[in-house]
Every structure is written in C-alpha cells, then in structure tokens.
C-alpha cells in the first residue's frame, strides 16, 4: 500500500488432527487464534484454558506476527520477524498521537500494545518506533510450525533459543512447561515418549472439541485454497522415482517425505510395498516413531503384517528400546512360519540380539552405568 514500508501480520498456529502428514499445507485447516484476537468471555476462557493445560502456555512458537517488507525500503534484517526500514516517518508527516510511525503498519494488537506501553515508559530507544495499528482481522499468516511429529522432533530447539548454552532448560514466554519436558526427551533421544507427549500437546482428533473451540473463537478454520485452488503441476511429479534417487544418495529423510507423496498417488495394491519402504527410510533417518505409523498403514491395507513388515516392525521397536515387544513379535513371526529364506535368518538373528539385550538388563550384576545406558 502507498506509504507503507513494512506490514507485520497477525500469525495463527496450526492445530494438526494427526501426528503424521505427507503435506501439512493440505492437511491442516484449523489454527489457534492469535492471543490479541481471542474473545474475552467465559466460553472462550474455558476453551483457552484447556489449551493452556495441554501446552502450559498458548502458542508454542512466537505470537508477535511476521513482517512483509518493501524491498525498496528495507535497510537490514533485525530478526526473523522484523526489518529496519527507511523512511520510518513519511515525509511531511508527524508521529501519530500514540507515537506510531506513518510507514510501519500492523494488525497485531499484542505487538502494538507492547510498543505503545514501552513508548510511554520511555523504554524505546531513539531509533525505535511504534507501528501504526491497522484494524484488519482478515490479514493472517498461517504458521504450520508444529503440524507433524517428524518436523517437530527434528527442530533444533537449542539454536532457536529454547535451550540455553549452559544446557539448562529455558522456555520462551510464548510457550510453556510442557515444552521443557519435550526438549529433555529430545535431548535424551527418547523418541517414543516424545511422540506421545507431542500428541497430547499439539494434536486434536476430537471433532466435537474442535467444533466447540471454533464456536468460542479460540480456534479458527482457514482454507488457503478456499477461493482459488492451487494449480496442479503441468507435468506429473514422479515421487517414487525421486524417492529412489534420494535413497541412493543416502538422503533418507528426503526419501521418506517423497515416499509419502508417492503413497498418496498409488492404489491399494501397491500401498504395502511403498509404506514399507517409507518406514525403512524413517528408521534410517532416525524417525523410528514415525516408521511405526507407516507400518500401521501397511497393515491396514492387508489386515496383517507380511513377513518383511514383521521384521521391520521388530527392528523399529528395538530402535525405540521396546525390546520385549520386539522379541514377542519376532517369536510370533517365527512360530507362524511367515518368514522364508533370508527373512527367517534375519528374524532369528534379531531374536538372538534381543534376548541378549533383555538378559543384560535383567542381570543384577550389571553395572549401574551400563544399565542406564541401555534404558530407552
């Protein structure tokens, strides 16, 4: 707009209805409302409090919006959300009564109120300015930062400032105590427990609860494709071929993502093989908890685990530290005679390894340091 050098948009945070997604931009359509736009009434308060119990806060990420800036007027980047711009005051214009500039706009009430308060208290530096409040609820930035477990688990929370250099947990004001627990599980490599906590915190599968919270104005439903559908690719994307090439390069996480898209485009008859390959990539990429979801999808396509899937599921359970469950599954597969040739040999080898691990844990003479090292 004319006279606007930077506009800081309200951001809203995605609420996934499943811990796994091959494309969160298409699967997530419900978002937590920005704090500045949450209604102040008992109905909204009850819904708001239920999310605080889940998270220990409100947003997991930031609430101060995201800025769109005119390239012509951008001087330098101040942070991931803010730029320094010139001019800050439109020529021949004076500051507004609230101290705001004429070139920086925002519809984020929290950001504006905080800046006005700092201005009144004299805590703004000479070069700092107050944004001009623009009353527009429709301009939003959809933030898909916490919408699937894999990306949530892989985030480098220390580098993002959630964990101090001294390795003591430090939670940002916008997130709560539950996140501190997640960071610790992440650092200790306890992925199965971290996934369970993630589902408790972030995922809401209950349509009735979602409906009540949408009605209360605490959540909002937003479909970026509502008015204009995203155009399809002019050429078909060969996701399976790209996934195979990524596997050859050793880019297992990339291959896992691409196999997910390939699974969307395939028929039921091919689903088992694709989900199995995807699960193998997840395991190689250090996402054993997500590999279980792929194996469950493969099982749902046939109603049971085929031999190769039984073997892989046992390996995933072993990776998660669930040795007893893995040993039981391997024994069932061998007793049922589901394996042939190399698969039977691999199942027997895995069973021997699992038995040794269980016996090491159970031995009373095992040193305490070794005991703790073996625990999941």
């Amino acid at each position: 707009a004319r006279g606007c050098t930077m506009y800081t948009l309200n951001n809203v945070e995605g609420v996934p209805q499943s811990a796994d997604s091959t494309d969160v931009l298409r699967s997530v359509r419900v978002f937590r409302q920005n704090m500045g736009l949450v209604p102040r009434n008992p109905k909204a308060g009850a819904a708001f409090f239920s999310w605080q119990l889940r998270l220990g806060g409100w947003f997991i990420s930031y609430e101060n919006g995201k800025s769109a800036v005119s390239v012509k007027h951008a001087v330098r980047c101040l942070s991931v959300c803010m730029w320094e711009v010139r001019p800050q005051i439109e020529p021949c214009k004076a500051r507004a009564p609230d101290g705001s500039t004429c070139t920086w706009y925002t519809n984020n009430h929290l950001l504006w109120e905080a800046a006005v308060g700092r201005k009144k208290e004299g805590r703004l530096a000479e070069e700092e300015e107050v944004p001009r409040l623009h009353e527009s609820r429709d301009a939003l930035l959809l933030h898909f930062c916490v919408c699937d477990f894999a990306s949530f688990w892989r985030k480098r929370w220390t580098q993002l400032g959630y964990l101090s250099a001294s390795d003591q947990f430090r939670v940002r004001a916008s997130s709560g105590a539950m996140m501190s627990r997640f960071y610790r599980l992440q650092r200790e490599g306890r992925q199965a427990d971290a996934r369970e906590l993630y589902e408790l915190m972030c995922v809401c599968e209950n349509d009735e609860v979602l409906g009540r919270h949408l009605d209360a104005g605490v959540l909002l439903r937003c479909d970026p494709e509502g008015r204009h559908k995203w155009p399809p690719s002019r050429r078909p994307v060969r996701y399976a071929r790209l996934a195979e090439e990524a596997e050859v390069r050793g880019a297992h996480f990339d291959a896992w993502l691409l196999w997910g898209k390939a699974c969307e485009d395939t028929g039921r008859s091919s689903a088992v093989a694709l989900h199995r390959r995807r699960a193998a990539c997840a395991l190689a990429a250090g996402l054993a908890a997500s590999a279980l979801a792929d194996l469950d999808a493969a099982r749902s396509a046939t109603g049971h685990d085929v031999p190769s899937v039984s073997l892989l599921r046992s390996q995933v359970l072993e990776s998660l530290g669930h040795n007893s469950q893995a040993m039981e599954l391997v024994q069932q597969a061998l007793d049922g005679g589901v394996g042939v040739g190399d698969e039977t040999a691999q199942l027997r080898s895995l069973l021997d390894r699992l038995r040794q691990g269980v016996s090491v844990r159970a031995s009373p003479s095992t040193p305490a340091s070794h005991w703790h090292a073996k625990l999941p």
Side-chain angles (χ1 to χ4, degrees):
R2 184 177 181 182
C4 176
T5 58
M6 180 167 63
Y7 193 107
T8 304
L9 296 151
N10 263 323
N11 64 300
V12 293
E13 193 168 270
V15 177
Q17 293 179 256
S18 171
D20 301 287
S21 173
T22 57
D23 189 346
V24 296
L25 298 181
R26 292 190 182 277
S27 64
V28 176
R29 292 293 180 261
V30 176
F31 299 82
R32 271 190 298 281
Q33 181 62 276
N34 191 281
M35 177 82 81
L37 298 178
V38 172
R40 268 50 173 180
N41 60 58
K43 185 178 181 181
F48 182 87
F49 182 63
S50 70
W51 280 100
Q52 285 191 311
L53 290 177
R54 279 173 169 252
L55 300 169
W58 183 233
F59 275 16
I60 290 177
S61 188
Y62 57 84
E63 297 175 353
N64 59 330
K66 201 77 166 181
S67 297
V69 65
S70 163
V71 176
K72 177 181 178 180
H73 299 98
V75 177
R76 63 188 176 99
C77 182
L78 300 177
S79 70
V80 295
C81 303
M82 202 66 59
W83 288 76
E84 179 183 346
V85 294
R86 289 287 186 274
Q88 294 187 352
I89 305 297
E90 194 172 352
C92 303
K93 293 285 185 71
R95 285 184 174 84
D98 60 13
S100 65
T101 71
C102 293
T103 66
W104 173 23
Y105 289 75
T106 185
N107 64 347
N108 188 300
H109 278 258
L110 290 179
L111 176 66
W112 177 77
E113 289 171 358
V116 171
R118 286 169 60 88
K119 188 77 172 182
K120 290 179 179 178
E121 296 167 4
R123 294 191 293 123
L124 281 185
E126 183 64 29
E127 66 276 8
E128 290 184 293
E129 297 291 345
V130 176
R132 173 168 288 184
L133 183 63
H134 180 227
E135 296 285 359
S136 173
R137 297 175 65 96
D138 295 332
L140 295 172
L141 182 133
L142 307 181
H143 202 184
F144 296 85
C145 59
V146 297
C147 293
D148 71 290
F149 173 74
S151 61
F152 200 76
W153 171 258
R154 287 166 56 87
K155 278 186 181 291
R156 299 178 180 180
W157 297 106
T158 303
Q159 295 181 12
L160 292 172
Y162 290 84
L163 187 63
S164 65
S166 62
D167 210 23
Q168 297 298 312
F169 292 99
R170 174 171 59 88
V171 181
R172 287 184 177 180
S174 62
S175 61
M178 292 289 279
M179 287 301 297
S180 177
R181 170 68 173 161
F182 184 89
Y183 308 148
R184 185 170 295 277
L185 293 173
Q186 184 190 46
R187 186 169 66 91
E188 295 173 357
R190 297 166 59 183
Q191 192 174 131
D193 292 334
R195 182 185 174 94
E196 184 177 346
L197 182 60
Y198 168 80
E199 291 176 347
L200 175 65
M201 291 165 49
C202 302
V203 178
C204 186
E205 300 175 338
N206 191 314
D207 290 333
E208 182 182 351
V209 171
L210 290 173
R212 290 202 311 268
H213 292 188
L214 286 164
D215 186 56
V218 168
L219 301 181
L220 74 153
R221 190 180 298 277
C222 186
D223 184 357
E225 293 188 274
R227 294 184 179 178
H228 305 286
K229 290 292 183 181
W230 296 336
S233 173
R234 294 181 179 179
R235 295 182 297 175
V237 181
R238 297 183 175 132
Y239 290 110
R241 178 179 175 182
L242 293 173
E244 290 173 347
E245 293 173 354
E247 280 191 77
V248 172
R249 298 195 308 270
H252 299 294
F253 179 70
D254 293 345
W256 178 74
L257 293 174
L258 290 164
W259 280 125
K261 296 300 293 183
C263 289
E264 292 181 347
D265 297 335
T266 190
R268 188 180 183 87
S269 59
S270 305
V272 175
L274 294 186
H275 280 297
R276 184 198 176 282
R277 292 193 68 168
R278 189 170 194 246
C281 289
L283 183 60
L287 292 170
S290 296
L292 278 180
D294 288 306
L295 293 175
D296 288 341
R299 173 187 286 171
S300 67
T302 60
H304 60 85
D305 279 345
V306 297
S308 58
V309 172
S310 294
L311 174 62
L312 184 55
R313 185 183 293 275
S314 302
Q315 293 170 335
V316 169
L317 289 171
E318 180 191 25
S319 178
L320 293 172
H322 299 165
N323 285 16
S324 296
Q325 295 179 37
M327 189 164 61
E328 181 180 353
L329 182 60
V330 172
Q331 191 64 63
Q332 289 176 356
L334 290 172
D335 292 344
V338 297
V340 293
D342 291 341
E343 288 172 354
T344 299
Q346 291 181 59
L347 285 168
R348 292 190 181 281
S349 176
L350 177 57
L351 181 61
D352 292 339
R353 186 168 70 246
L354 290 168
R355 281 173 174 167
Q356 292 175 5
V358 171
S359 64
V360 166
R361 292 188 186 187
S363 173
S365 60
T366 303
S369 60
H370 187 76
W371 177 279
H372 290 301
K374 296 291 284 185
L375 285 175

